[in-house]
Amino acid sequence: MKISRKTFGVLSNGKKVHLYTLKAGELSLSVCTLGAAWTSLMVPSSVPAVIPSTEKGADDILLGFSTLEGYASNRSFGGTAGRFAGRIGGAKFSLSGKEYSLHRNNGENSLHGERVGFANQIWKAEAYEERDGVFVRFELKSPDGQEGYPGNVRAAVSYGLTKSNELVADYQAKVDAPCPVNLTNRAFFNLAGEGRGMSVLSTEMKLYCSNYLETDDALIPSGTILPVAGTPFDFTAKKPIGKDIGALAETAAGGYDHCFVIDRGGEPGDLRPFAEVYEPFSKRYMRGFTTQPGVQFFSGNNISAVSGKIGSVYEKHGGFCLETQHFPDSPNRREFPSAIFGPNRDYHEKAVFVFDW
């Protein structure tokens, strides 16, 4: 196992950003302090790599950028979303009879708290090693009133790799007043390798989700939970992402951008399987487990001519997201699992991605 740290670059305001690279098992993960972002994940394959390297057959399976400048100008890839990941309808919510207004950055709605959201800030970071893995712990303080939210938040997110080829994400937060909290990472995966120019439509996926959230034309949940059976949202048996996506082409999402309800099992706080993903070209296989109630599956519908790493250009469906999280618009939906935390209820959720090839 190995941990390295270097300066990734300096922002226009003079603040320095650091890049950590973790190696354990046969994986290599890089994360940076701007947005606590995942910038690279090298995973082996029996297929020769796009770029020859000492790591036989290893490709970077995350969309992103080679330099800090890319992340500074485009926060869409790999950042840690918060205070509330996902959409909040009308960019507002009420608590104890008081209405709170948020920044509108997705039509009339709030998405990921983007103006000064967690993905836009520099996190304090410290690397550490445990018996089975290597990790970086990121910490961030968000003051009362930031982005319109109540309460002072202390967030701590740990990302790391284990000897068993697992990527572990551990999300924690404490808040001194009742406030919506919902953290996730916005990694865009392409298991074929980000530099191959391949879409993810042939990637095969199974979701342990018998239901999904109905949404309106602004992609805000209606509050109704619908069965996936007999619809394009049925991934209960493994199928290519592109198999039924055509049926969604003329919808507001233009593909998949929906929250799926993870099937229940075990006790609250237990890790439950939520996804299996297989890429037939590279033969890479990814399994996902989480403590969260939902997963937002996004099929990269709005990616267009993005200049990525080392000459890569990302197009529509060039990557997919599996964002484990509480349901979108939960602060306005009492029928959804509560996403209100503090001061007597701390936030703690976890996700694990396991790789094979």
Side-chain angles (χ1 to χ4, degrees):
M1 299 189 296
K2 184 179 179 181
I3 301 171
S4 63
R5 173 181 178 267
K6 70 177 184 179
T7 299
F8 196 28
V10 180
L11 297 175
S12 59
N13 60 10
K15 293 185 177 180
K16 189 178 292 186
V17 177
H18 292 103
L19 183 73
Y20 290 82
T21 298
L22 310 175
K23 295 185 179 181
E26 295 188 64
L27 306 182
S28 176
L29 172 70
S30 293
V31 292
C32 80
T33 53
L34 177 61
W38 303 1
T39 63
S40 174
L41 179 59
M42 301 295 295
V43 181
S45 170
S46 57
V47 177
V50 176
I51 301 172
S53 72
T54 56
E55 300 173 85
K56 181 180 178 182
D59 286 313
D60 190 348
I61 65 165
L62 297 183
L63 305 194
F65 308 99
S66 302
T67 65
L68 175 62
E69 288 73 21
Y71 290 97
S73 60
N74 187 332
R75 308 294 169 84
S76 298
F77 299 101
T80 298
R83 285 188 190 189
F84 195 90
R87 294 176 174 86
I88 294 180
K92 61 185 178 181
F93 62 90
S94 295
L95 276 176
S96 302
K98 181 178 179 180
E99 185 174 285
Y100 294 88
S101 296
L102 311 174
H103 177 55
R104 295 183 177 185
N105 66 326
N106 186 243
E108 295 298 306
N109 309 307
S110 174
L111 175 62
H112 299 318
E114 272 302 287
R115 184 173 56 176
V116 287
F118 288 5
N120 298 328
Q121 301 183 53
I122 294 180
W123 296 58
K124 180 182 176 182
E126 182 178 1
Y128 63 97
E129 182 174 332
E130 292 185 345
R131 184 176 62 181
D132 64 338
V134 284
F135 303 85
V136 179
R137 177 183 170 89
F138 293 96
E139 295 183 356
L140 183 69
K141 293 181 180 179
S142 177
D144 179 38
Q146 187 173 63
E147 200 68 22
Y149 289 97
N152 297 289
V153 171
R154 290 183 293 134
V157 177
S158 293
Y159 295 134
L161 300 175
T162 73
K163 294 178 181 178
S164 302
N165 297 317
E166 300 170 324
L167 192 164
V168 179
D170 190 280
Y171 305 96
Q172 299 184 51
K174 294 179 180 291
V175 58
D176 62 5
C179 179
V181 178
N182 193 25
L183 306 181
T184 195
N185 187 276
R186 297 166 58 196
F188 279 75
F189 295 98
N190 187 319
L191 298 187
E194 64 82 30
R196 294 191 184 275
M198 297 175 61
S199 85
V200 298
L201 296 182
S202 61
T203 299
E204 299 172 7
M205 181 177 294
K206 174 180 179 179
L207 296 178
Y208 288 79
C209 304
S210 302
N211 300 279
Y212 73 103
L213 303 187
E214 180 185 60
T215 59
D216 63 18
D217 287 343
L219 303 183
I220 302 299
S222 67
T224 301
I225 296 176
L226 298 174
V228 300
T231 77
F233 301 99
D234 191 349
F235 284 88
T236 54
K238 193 178 296 182
K239 69 176 182 181
I241 290 173
K243 181 178 180 182
D244 298 317
I245 201 170
L248 305 176
E250 301 303 319
T251 65
Y256 295 104
D257 190 3
H258 299 79
C259 187
F260 289 74
V261 181
I262 298 170
D263 293 339
R264 295 182 180 275
E267 299 297 323
D270 287 351
L271 286 168
R272 309 187 314 282
F274 70 88
E276 296 179 12
V277 188
Y278 174 73
E279 206 295 306
F281 172 79
S282 67
K283 297 180 172 54
R284 292 187 180 97
Y285 182 56
M286 180 176 80
R287 291 176 292 148
F289 303 83
T290 189
T291 58
Q292 298 266 39
V295 56
Q296 187 82 9
F297 169 40
F298 178 55
S299 53
N301 314 315
N302 60 358
I303 301 174
S304 178
V306 175
S307 297
K309 302 171 183 175
I310 318 178
S312 298
V313 177
Y314 307 141
E315 300 289 356
K316 186 175 183 178
H317 306 313
F320 67 87
C321 298
L322 289 172
E323 300 169 357
T324 58
Q325 58 184 254
H326 278 260
F327 298 163
D329 205 33
S330 289
N332 294 314
R333 292 289 175 185
R334 292 185 178 181
E335 63 268 41
F336 289 171
S338 175
I340 306 300
F341 294 86
N344 299 315
R345 184 190 183 206
D346 293 340
Y347 177 93
H348 188 194
E349 301 288 357
K350 190 174 183 180
V352 178
F353 298 86
V354 186
F355 295 89
D356 203 351
W357 48 89

